[in-house]
Amino acid sequence: MARTSYSAIQLAEEYYSLALKLMEKKRYADAVRKLRKAISLYRDNHLFHYKLGNALFYTGKYLEAIEEFDVAISINPGYINAHYNKGVILMEEFKWYEYALEEFDKVISLDQNDVDAHRRKADCLYYLGRYEEAAEEYTVVMSFDRSYW
């Protein structure tokens, strides 16, 4: 792994901060450009890749978003948000329930109390026709918070 100079890291963080402000204003295409600049200066920050994945999602570039979530995960395998958002895209945009299920299982393995991951897992199981497993998972969701429904 090549060393990145301190000034390059600082500049990358400035681009990242600008990108976050652009995302708040829903200027996702501009945020993508800033995040790509940040990553060109410092590739090893999982948050840069994660936020780029989010910005790409909002611009409709779902496969590119998944690729960036994968990079974030390769840098930080325990980063729950990247697994979760990847799962959401696989489930909602592509209807690839089996692959989405894998991501939600990873989230649950990292945080057994993630009710949203349990609900998404239950939905995937349902769409896959695995109704008994889905019912069990919905029961888990209900055990967390009955008002969730």
Side-chain angles (χ1 to χ4, degrees):
M1 179 164 60
R3 290 182 52 94
T4 305
S5 72
Y6 180 71
S7 60
I9 292 171
Q10 281 183 311
L11 185 56
E13 289 175 353
E14 287 177 25
Y15 280 123
Y16 176 75
S17 293
L18 287 170
L20 295 181
K21 290 175 185 171
L22 290 165
M23 289 179 74
E24 286 175 9
K25 296 177 182 177
K26 300 187 184 331
R27 293 177 51 193
Y28 301 112
D30 292 330
V32 166
R33 285 189 283 281
K34 296 297 182 199
L35 287 161
R36 288 193 194 281
K37 285 183 181 180
I39 291 167
S40 74
L41 294 165
Y42 184 48
R43 297 190 176 284
D44 297 332
N45 187 312
H46 71 280
L47 291 176
F48 292 3
H49 292 279
Y50 170 72
K51 288 295 184 178
L52 178 54
N54 287 338
L56 288 164
F57 169 79
Y58 287 116
T59 61
K61 297 178 179 174
Y62 306 122
L63 289 175
E64 289 181 55
I66 289 171
E67 289 172 5
E68 290 302 324
F69 293 141
D70 282 339
V71 174
I73 291 165
S74 73
I75 296 168
N76 183 354
Y79 192 56
I80 289 174
N81 293 344
H83 286 289
Y84 182 84
N85 286 7
K86 179 182 175 183
V88 169
I89 292 173
L90 292 167
M91 178 183 174
E92 298 291 334
E93 303 304 328
F94 296 109
K95 312 298 185 215
W96 294 341
Y97 302 117
E98 204 63 58
Y99 296 113
L101 185 60
E102 291 175 16
E103 295 304 318
F104 298 128
D105 277 338
K106 288 175 189 169
V107 172
I108 293 165
S109 75
L110 295 165
D111 180 2
Q112 294 178 5
N113 296 318
D114 191 315
V115 67
D116 292 323
H118 280 284
R119 184 186 58 81
R120 295 276 188 174
K121 177 181 178 176
D123 291 346
C124 285
L125 290 166
Y126 177 83
Y127 294 132
L128 288 167
R130 295 163 56 182
Y131 302 118
E132 287 183 24
E133 291 173 86
E136 290 173 18
E137 199 64 32
Y138 285 127
T139 301
V140 171
V141 173
M142 295 290 290
S143 74
F144 284 111
D145 182 3
R146 290 205 172 280
S147 66
Y148 191 78
W149 297 93

